[in-house]
Amino acid sequence: MEFQKDNSFFSGRLKSVSFAAKGAIKLITTEHSIMVQFFIGILISIVGFFMHISTTEWLFQTFAIGLVMSIEGLNTAVEKIADFIHPNYHEKIGFIKDIAAGAVFFAALTAIAIGLIIYVPKFL
């Protein structure tokens, strides 16, 4: 099967959005780390409604949730590619996967800091 590029602007963008939505659904339904992060994102959003956070706080919270889930998606892609290229353990592949996981760690620390900045004052 040969891939045919769609050169028309509108239908090409529509197909791109369709592929992206399929990818997001695959992430949410097959990857446990994304499932957990998606659940935490929904939970913290519900908390945001109950705590009446400000528009600015919503912006930062939404950014933090999106950041973590996006970086986790990229981490998953790196892991899948690495496993495809070299299915057995290899020190260099392990190093690459650790770096990708480290990126998720930084995003998660950022999200935690944002959450603490938003919610700690509301409980004090």
Side-chain angles (χ1 to χ4, degrees):
M1 183 173 121
E2 188 176 317
F3 179 72
Q4 297 262 332
K5 184 172 179 170
D6 187 343
N7 290 321
S8 69
F9 180 78
F10 185 72
S11 63
R13 300 303 68 77
L14 218 56
K15 285 181 184 175
S16 294
V17 169
S18 169
F19 293 140
K22 280 186 203 175
I25 290 167
K26 283 180 186 177
L27 273 171
I28 291 169
T29 59
T30 63
E31 298 300 319
H32 293 287
S33 56
I34 289 281
M35 289 177 195
V36 169
Q37 291 160 354
F38 186 70
F39 175 75
I40 291 169
I42 288 176
L43 189 65
I44 201 74
S45 295
I46 291 168
V47 171
F49 281 111
F50 282 109
M51 300 299 289
H52 304 287
I53 63 177
S54 72
T55 302
T56 303
E57 291 167 332
W58 273 115
L59 289 170
F60 279 103
Q61 179 171 296
T62 303
F63 176 78
I65 293 167
L67 175 71
V68 171
M69 291 190 64
S70 297
I71 300 298
E72 183 62 54
L74 291 173
N75 177 51
T76 299
V78 167
E79 288 181 353
K80 299 290 184 191
I81 290 168
D83 290 344
F84 179 77
I85 292 170
H86 205 290
N88 300 322
Y89 176 78
H90 189 278
E91 188 176 329
K92 288 184 180 180
I93 294 291
F95 182 78
I96 292 166
K97 291 166 97 174
D98 288 347
I99 289 172
V104 177
F105 182 70
F106 286 133
L109 288 178
T110 302
I112 290 167
I114 289 170
L116 291 173
I117 291 167
I118 292 171
Y119 291 105
V120 166
K122 296 189 182 315
F123 288 104
L124 296 179

